PDB file of all heavy atoms in Angstrom:
ATOM      1  N   THR A   1       9.846  12.158 -10.836  1.00  0.00           N
ATOM      2  CA  THR A   1      10.971  12.791 -11.446  1.00  0.00           C
ATOM      3  C   THR A   1      11.020  14.275 -11.233  1.00  0.00           C
ATOM      4  O   THR A   1       9.966  15.004 -11.328  1.00  0.00           O
ATOM      5  CB  THR A   1      10.834  12.584 -13.007  1.00  0.00           C
ATOM      6  OG1 THR A   1      10.741  11.083 -13.175  1.00  0.00           O
ATOM      7  CG2 THR A   1      12.099  12.976 -13.665  1.00  0.00           C
ATOM      8  N   VAL A   2      12.178  14.823 -10.820  1.00  0.00           N
ATOM      9  CA  VAL A   2      12.276  16.165 -10.628  1.00  0.00           C
ATOM     10  C   VAL A   2      12.406  16.904 -12.048  1.00  0.00           C
ATOM     11  O   VAL A   2      13.434  16.543 -12.766  1.00  0.00           O
ATOM     12  CB  VAL A   2      13.548  16.612  -9.724  1.00  0.00           C
ATOM     13  CG1 VAL A   2      13.630  18.054  -9.594  1.00  0.00           C
ATOM     14  CG2 VAL A   2      13.380  15.839  -8.352  1.00  0.00           C
ATOM     15  N   LYS A   3      11.551  17.649 -12.442  1.00  0.00           N
ATOM     16  CA  LYS A   3      11.612  18.244 -13.831  1.00  0.00           C
ATOM     17  C   LYS A   3      12.786  19.098 -14.085  1.00  0.00           C
ATOM     18  O   LYS A   3      13.333  18.944 -15.154  1.00  0.00           O
ATOM     19  CB  LYS A   3      10.235  19.169 -13.924  1.00  0.00           C
ATOM     20  CG  LYS A   3       8.999  18.568 -14.081  1.00  0.00           C
ATOM     21  CD  LYS A   3       7.906  19.542 -14.244  1.00  0.00           C
ATOM     22  CE  LYS A   3       6.612  18.808 -14.456  1.00  0.00           C
ATOM     23  NZ  LYS A   3       5.428  19.761 -14.655  1.00  0.00           N
ATOM     24  N   ALA A   4      13.334  19.830 -13.125  1.00  0.00           N
ATOM     25  CA  ALA A   4      14.493  20.624 -13.397  1.00  0.00           C
ATOM     26  C   ALA A   4      15.726  19.821 -13.723  1.00  0.00           C
ATOM     27  O   ALA A   4      16.608  20.199 -14.478  1.00  0.00           O
ATOM     28  CB  ALA A   4      14.766  21.599 -12.151  1.00  0.00           C
ATOM     29  N   THR A   5      15.938  18.739 -12.886  1.00  0.00           N
ATOM     30  CA  THR A   5      17.123  17.921 -13.090  1.00  0.00           C
ATOM     31  C   THR A   5      16.926  16.548 -13.733  1.00  0.00           C
ATOM     32  O   THR A   5      17.959  16.012 -14.196  1.00  0.00           O
ATOM     33  CB  THR A   5      17.831  17.647 -11.646  1.00  0.00           C
ATOM     34  OG1 THR A   5      16.881  16.945 -10.935  1.00  0.00           O
ATOM     35  CG2 THR A   5      18.059  19.064 -11.000  1.00  0.00           C
ATOM     36  N   GLY A   6      15.765  16.006 -13.754  1.00  0.00           N
ATOM     37  CA  GLY A   6      15.575  14.725 -14.323  1.00  0.00           C
ATOM     38  C   GLY A   6      15.890  13.600 -13.230  1.00  0.00           C
ATOM     39  O   GLY A   6      15.749  12.478 -13.536  1.00  0.00           O
ATOM     40  N   ALA A   7      16.313  14.024 -12.024  1.00  0.00           N
ATOM     41  CA  ALA A   7      16.598  13.011 -11.055  1.00  0.00           C
ATOM     42  C   ALA A   7      15.425  12.440 -10.462  1.00  0.00           C
ATOM     43  O   ALA A   7      14.318  13.015 -10.541  1.00  0.00           O
ATOM     44  CB  ALA A   7      17.384  13.741  -9.877  1.00  0.00           C
ATOM     45  N   MET A   8      15.490  11.158  -9.895  1.00  0.00           N
ATOM     46  CA  MET A   8      14.410  10.586  -9.233  1.00  0.00           C
ATOM     47  C   MET A   8      14.225  11.070  -7.714  1.00  0.00           C
ATOM     48  O   MET A   8      15.289  11.342  -7.037  1.00  0.00           O
ATOM     49  CB  MET A   8      14.658   9.053  -9.114  1.00  0.00           C
ATOM     50  CG  MET A   8      14.478   8.441 -10.381  1.00  0.00           C
ATOM     51  SD  MET A   8      12.937   8.507 -11.117  1.00  0.00           S
ATOM     52  CE  MET A   8      13.184   8.071 -12.745  1.00  0.00           C
ATOM     53  N   SER A   9      12.931  11.310  -7.333  1.00  0.00           N
ATOM     54  CA  SER A   9      12.751  11.718  -6.042  1.00  0.00           C
ATOM     55  C   SER A   9      11.712  10.749  -5.484  1.00  0.00           C
ATOM     56  O   SER A   9      10.892  10.150  -6.101  1.00  0.00           O
ATOM     57  CB  SER A   9      12.115  13.065  -6.063  1.00  0.00           C
ATOM     58  OG  SER A   9      11.681  13.561  -4.721  1.00  0.00           O
ATOM     59  N   TYR A  10      11.775  10.537  -4.153  1.00  0.00           N
ATOM     60  CA  TYR A  10      10.871   9.545  -3.460  1.00  0.00           C
ATOM     61  C   TYR A  10      10.006  10.163  -2.309  1.00  0.00           C
ATOM     62  O   TYR A  10      10.589  11.077  -1.651  1.00  0.00           O
ATOM     63  CB  TYR A  10      11.719   8.399  -2.917  1.00  0.00           C
ATOM     64  CG  TYR A  10      12.355   7.651  -4.038  1.00  0.00           C
ATOM     65  CD1 TYR A  10      13.691   7.882  -4.345  1.00  0.00           C
ATOM     66  CD2 TYR A  10      11.795   6.585  -4.594  1.00  0.00           C
ATOM     67  CE1 TYR A  10      14.339   7.232  -5.276  1.00  0.00           C
ATOM     68  CE2 TYR A  10      12.357   5.926  -5.604  1.00  0.00           C
ATOM     69  CZ  TYR A  10      13.670   6.165  -5.924  1.00  0.00           C
ATOM     70  OH  TYR A  10      14.308   5.446  -6.895  1.00  0.00           O
ATOM     71  N   SER A  11       8.778   9.867  -2.226  1.00  0.00           N
ATOM     72  CA  SER A  11       7.939  10.384  -1.184  1.00  0.00           C
ATOM     73  C   SER A  11       7.188   9.241  -0.502  1.00  0.00           C
ATOM     74  O   SER A  11       6.996   8.174  -1.080  1.00  0.00           O
ATOM     75  CB  SER A  11       6.833  11.235  -1.802  1.00  0.00           C
ATOM     76  OG  SER A  11       7.453  12.323  -2.481  1.00  0.00           O
ATOM     77  N   GLY A  12       7.016   9.414   0.708  1.00  0.00           N
ATOM     78  CA  GLY A  12       6.226   8.470   1.536  1.00  0.00           C
ATOM     79  C   GLY A  12       4.792   8.700   1.541  1.00  0.00           C
ATOM     80  O   GLY A  12       4.330   9.707   1.501  1.00  0.00           O
ATOM     81  N   LEU A  13       3.995   7.552   1.439  1.00  0.00           N
ATOM     82  CA  LEU A  13       2.559   7.613   1.523  1.00  0.00           C
ATOM     83  C   LEU A  13       2.002   6.758   2.583  1.00  0.00           C
ATOM     84  O   LEU A  13       2.464   5.644   2.758  1.00  0.00           O
ATOM     85  CB  LEU A  13       1.998   7.202   0.254  1.00  0.00           C
ATOM     86  CG  LEU A  13       0.449   6.982   0.188  1.00  0.00           C
ATOM     87  CD1 LEU A  13      -0.117   8.282   0.125  1.00  0.00           C
ATOM     88  CD2 LEU A  13       0.100   6.303  -1.145  1.00  0.00           C
ATOM     89  N   LYS A  14       1.159   7.227   3.391  1.00  0.00           N
ATOM     90  CA  LYS A  14       0.622   6.610   4.483  1.00  0.00           C
ATOM     91  C   LYS A  14      -0.897   6.762   4.563  1.00  0.00           C
ATOM     92  O   LYS A  14      -1.466   7.849   4.540  1.00  0.00           O
ATOM     93  CB  LYS A  14       1.153   7.095   5.856  1.00  0.00           C
ATOM     94  CG  LYS A  14       0.569   6.358   7.114  1.00  0.00           C
ATOM     95  CD  LYS A  14       1.201   6.870   8.288  1.00  0.00           C
ATOM     96  CE  LYS A  14       0.317   6.934   9.620  1.00  0.00           C
ATOM     97  NZ  LYS A  14       1.061   7.512  10.762  1.00  0.00           N
ATOM     98  N   VAL A  15      -1.648   5.676   4.573  1.00  0.00           N
ATOM     99  CA  VAL A  15      -3.019   5.710   4.475  1.00  0.00           C
ATOM    100  C   VAL A  15      -3.566   4.961   5.737  1.00  0.00           C
ATOM    101  O   VAL A  15      -3.128   3.875   5.933  1.00  0.00           O
ATOM    102  CB  VAL A  15      -3.708   5.009   3.169  1.00  0.00           C
ATOM    103  CG1 VAL A  15      -5.248   5.044   3.220  1.00  0.00           C
ATOM    104  CG2 VAL A  15      -3.150   5.754   1.913  1.00  0.00           C
ATOM    105  N   VAL A  16      -4.470   5.614   6.436  1.00  0.00           N
ATOM    106  CA  VAL A  16      -5.005   5.041   7.670  1.00  0.00           C
ATOM    107  C   VAL A  16      -6.501   4.945   7.500  1.00  0.00           C
ATOM    108  O   VAL A  16      -7.128   5.891   7.253  1.00  0.00           O
ATOM    109  CB  VAL A  16      -4.652   5.840   9.085  1.00  0.00           C
ATOM    110  CG1 VAL A  16      -5.319   5.147  10.201  1.00  0.00           C
ATOM    111  CG2 VAL A  16      -3.230   5.958   9.118  1.00  0.00           C
ATOM    112  N   VAL A  17      -7.064   3.768   7.655  1.00  0.00           N
ATOM    113  CA  VAL A  17      -8.548   3.639   7.550  1.00  0.00           C
ATOM    114  C   VAL A  17      -9.085   2.966   8.865  1.00  0.00           C
ATOM    115  O   VAL A  17      -8.475   2.110   9.263  1.00  0.00           O
ATOM    116  CB  VAL A  17      -8.870   2.637   6.307  1.00  0.00           C
ATOM    117  CG1 VAL A  17     -10.382   2.465   6.214  1.00  0.00           C
ATOM    118  CG2 VAL A  17      -8.335   3.032   4.958  1.00  0.00           C
ATOM    119  N   GLY A  18     -10.024   3.708   9.355  1.00  0.00           N
ATOM    120  CA  GLY A  18     -10.597   3.157  10.607  1.00  0.00           C
ATOM    121  C   GLY A  18     -12.174   2.938  10.546  1.00  0.00           C
ATOM    122  O   GLY A  18     -12.801   3.563   9.744  1.00  0.00           O
ATOM    123  N   GLY A  19     -12.520   1.881  11.232  1.00  0.00           N
ATOM    124  CA  GLY A  19     -14.065   1.714  11.376  1.00  0.00           C
ATOM    125  C   GLY A  19     -14.370   0.297  11.925  1.00  0.00           C
ATOM    126  O   GLY A  19     -13.330  -0.200  12.644  1.00  0.00           O
ATOM    127  N   LYS A  20     -15.410  -0.227  11.667  1.00  0.00           N
ATOM    128  CA  LYS A  20     -15.949  -1.435  12.312  1.00  0.00           C
ATOM    129  C   LYS A  20     -15.696  -2.550  11.240  1.00  0.00           C
ATOM    130  O   LYS A  20     -16.125  -2.364  10.054  1.00  0.00           O
ATOM    131  CB  LYS A  20     -17.338  -1.321  12.796  1.00  0.00           C
ATOM    132  CG  LYS A  20     -17.780  -2.593  13.402  1.00  0.00           C
ATOM    133  CD  LYS A  20     -19.237  -2.427  13.945  1.00  0.00           C
ATOM    134  CE  LYS A  20     -19.679  -3.771  14.547  1.00  0.00           C
ATOM    135  NZ  LYS A  20     -21.111  -3.775  15.016  1.00  0.00           N
ATOM    136  N   VAL A  21     -15.071  -3.533  11.552  1.00  0.00           N
ATOM    137  CA  VAL A  21     -14.901  -4.687  10.685  1.00  0.00           C
ATOM    138  C   VAL A  21     -16.255  -5.432  10.448  1.00  0.00           C
ATOM    139  O   VAL A  21     -16.778  -5.821  11.449  1.00  0.00           O
ATOM    140  CB  VAL A  21     -13.760  -5.749  11.104  1.00  0.00           C
ATOM    141  CG1 VAL A  21     -13.729  -6.877  10.320  1.00  0.00           C
ATOM    142  CG2 VAL A  21     -12.435  -4.981  11.212  1.00  0.00           C
ATOM    143  N   LYS A  22     -16.544  -5.453   9.209  1.00  0.00           N
ATOM    144  CA  LYS A  22     -17.910  -6.229   8.981  1.00  0.00           C
ATOM    145  C   LYS A  22     -17.705  -7.700   8.459  1.00  0.00           C
ATOM    146  O   LYS A  22     -18.660  -8.561   8.535  1.00  0.00           O
ATOM    147  CB  LYS A  22     -18.812  -5.404   7.919  1.00  0.00           C
ATOM    148  CG  LYS A  22     -19.077  -4.046   8.482  1.00  0.00           C
ATOM    149  CD  LYS A  22     -19.876  -3.349   7.459  1.00  0.00           C
ATOM    150  CE  LYS A  22     -21.353  -3.423   7.776  1.00  0.00           C
ATOM    151  NZ  LYS A  22     -22.225  -2.749   6.861  1.00  0.00           N
ATOM    152  N   GLY A  23     -16.484  -7.795   7.983  1.00  0.00           N
ATOM    153  CA  GLY A  23     -16.235  -9.233   7.521  1.00  0.00           C
ATOM    154  C   GLY A  23     -14.758  -9.378   7.025  1.00  0.00           C
ATOM    155  O   GLY A  23     -14.108  -8.243   6.762  1.00  0.00           O
ATOM    156  N   TYR A  24     -14.285 -10.541   6.975  1.00  0.00           N
ATOM    157  CA  TYR A  24     -12.905 -10.668   6.496  1.00  0.00           C
ATOM    158  C   TYR A  24     -12.781 -12.039   5.758  1.00  0.00           C
ATOM    159  O   TYR A  24     -13.468 -12.915   6.088  1.00  0.00           O
ATOM    160  CB  TYR A  24     -11.904 -10.552   7.544  1.00  0.00           C
ATOM    161  CG  TYR A  24     -11.984 -11.462   8.813  1.00  0.00           C
ATOM    162  CD1 TYR A  24     -11.394 -12.780   8.726  1.00  0.00           C
ATOM    163  CD2 TYR A  24     -12.850 -11.026   9.805  1.00  0.00           C
ATOM    164  CE1 TYR A  24     -11.649 -13.538   9.713  1.00  0.00           C
ATOM    165  CE2 TYR A  24     -13.008 -12.020  10.889  1.00  0.00           C
ATOM    166  CZ  TYR A  24     -12.524 -13.256  10.901  1.00  0.00           C
ATOM    167  OH  TYR A  24     -12.665 -14.108  11.838  1.00  0.00           O
ATOM    168  N   ASN A  25     -11.825 -12.120   4.886  1.00  0.00           N
ATOM    169  CA  ASN A  25     -11.559 -13.313   4.139  1.00  0.00           C
ATOM    170  C   ASN A  25      -9.945 -13.589   4.440  1.00  0.00           C
ATOM    171  O   ASN A  25      -9.200 -12.770   3.856  1.00  0.00           O
ATOM    172  CB  ASN A  25     -11.877 -13.165   2.752  1.00  0.00           C
ATOM    173  CG  ASN A  25     -11.529 -14.362   1.887  1.00  0.00           C
ATOM    174  OD1 ASN A  25     -10.953 -15.409   2.416  1.00  0.00           O
ATOM    175  ND2 ASN A  25     -11.812 -14.314   0.607  1.00  0.00           N
ATOM    176  N   LEU A  26      -9.561 -14.617   5.020  1.00  0.00           N
ATOM    177  CA  LEU A  26      -8.228 -14.878   5.239  1.00  0.00           C
ATOM    178  C   LEU A  26      -7.500 -15.341   3.924  1.00  0.00           C
ATOM    179  O   LEU A  26      -6.356 -15.254   3.921  1.00  0.00           O
ATOM    180  CB  LEU A  26      -8.044 -15.940   6.349  1.00  0.00           C
ATOM    181  CG  LEU A  26      -8.435 -15.524   7.715  1.00  0.00           C
ATOM    182  CD1 LEU A  26      -8.283 -16.706   8.645  1.00  0.00           C
ATOM    183  CD2 LEU A  26      -7.677 -14.297   8.244  1.00  0.00           C
ATOM    184  N   GLY A  27      -8.316 -15.762   2.981  1.00  0.00           N
ATOM    185  CA  GLY A  27      -7.745 -16.120   1.714  1.00  0.00           C
ATOM    186  C   GLY A  27      -6.869 -17.444   1.896  1.00  0.00           C
ATOM    187  O   GLY A  27      -7.073 -18.206   2.653  1.00  0.00           O
ATOM    188  N   SER A  28      -6.016 -17.489   0.956  1.00  0.00           N
ATOM    189  CA  SER A  28      -5.005 -18.654   0.899  1.00  0.00           C
ATOM    190  C   SER A  28      -3.679 -18.197   0.542  1.00  0.00           C
ATOM    191  O   SER A  28      -3.483 -17.169  -0.030  1.00  0.00           O
ATOM    192  CB  SER A  28      -5.527 -19.685  -0.086  1.00  0.00           C
ATOM    193  OG  SER A  28      -5.514 -19.139  -1.373  1.00  0.00           O
ATOM    194  N   LEU A  29      -2.737 -19.080   0.955  1.00  0.00           N
ATOM    195  CA  LEU A  29      -1.289 -18.780   0.630  1.00  0.00           C
ATOM    196  C   LEU A  29      -0.744 -20.026  -0.032  1.00  0.00           C
ATOM    197  O   LEU A  29      -0.987 -21.147   0.325  1.00  0.00           O
ATOM    198  CB  LEU A  29      -0.511 -18.438   1.882  1.00  0.00           C
ATOM    199  CG  LEU A  29      -0.777 -17.100   2.591  1.00  0.00           C
ATOM    200  CD1 LEU A  29      -0.036 -17.143   3.974  1.00  0.00           C
ATOM    201  CD2 LEU A  29      -0.371 -15.922   1.807  1.00  0.00           C
ATOM    202  N   GLU A  30      -0.109 -19.722  -1.020  1.00  0.00           N
ATOM    203  CA  GLU A  30       0.832 -20.735  -1.825  1.00  0.00           C
ATOM    204  C   GLU A  30       2.196 -20.226  -2.102  1.00  0.00           C
ATOM    205  O   GLU A  30       2.355 -19.048  -2.423  1.00  0.00           O
ATOM    206  CB  GLU A  30       0.114 -21.168  -3.161  1.00  0.00           C
ATOM    207  CG  GLU A  30      -1.196 -21.842  -3.023  1.00  0.00           C
ATOM    208  CD  GLU A  30      -1.827 -22.335  -4.255  1.00  0.00           C
ATOM    209  OE1 GLU A  30      -0.934 -22.894  -5.158  1.00  0.00           O
ATOM    210  OE2 GLU A  30      -2.984 -22.031  -4.606  1.00  0.00           O
ATOM    211  N   LYS A  31       3.093 -21.093  -1.898  1.00  0.00           N
ATOM    212  CA  LYS A  31       4.498 -20.748  -2.181  1.00  0.00           C
ATOM    213  C   LYS A  31       4.690 -20.149  -3.520  1.00  0.00           C
ATOM    214  O   LYS A  31       4.365 -20.581  -4.596  1.00  0.00           O
ATOM    215  CB  LYS A  31       5.439 -21.918  -1.952  1.00  0.00           C
ATOM    216  CG  LYS A  31       6.919 -21.683  -1.967  1.00  0.00           C
ATOM    217  CD  LYS A  31       7.692 -22.838  -1.774  1.00  0.00           C
ATOM    218  CE  LYS A  31       9.206 -22.533  -1.720  1.00  0.00           C
ATOM    219  NZ  LYS A  31       9.986 -23.777  -1.446  1.00  0.00           N
ATOM    220  N   GLY A  32       5.284 -18.910  -3.582  1.00  0.00           N
ATOM    221  CA  GLY A  32       5.680 -18.336  -4.904  1.00  0.00           C
ATOM    222  C   GLY A  32       4.463 -17.541  -5.550  1.00  0.00           C
ATOM    223  O   GLY A  32       4.495 -17.038  -6.592  1.00  0.00           O
TER     224      GLY A  32
END
């Protein structure tokens, strides 16, 4: 929220993580 006007403001966020994969879990998917 912009304090001066009370209007909404949006910002983008980008996070990049690099390294060696030690393990993964594909998990499961269910509809909904």
Side-chain angles (χ1 to χ4, degrees):
T1 304
V2 178
K3 288 182 182 181
T5 64
M8 291 294 165
S9 176
Y10 298 93
S11 304
L13 173 67
K14 178 176 149 182
V15 178
V16 180
V17 180
K20 184 177 180 183
V21 175
K22 298 180 97 177
Y24 58 90
N25 177 2
L26 295 177
S28 61
L29 292 174
E30 289 184 48
K31 187 175 180 179

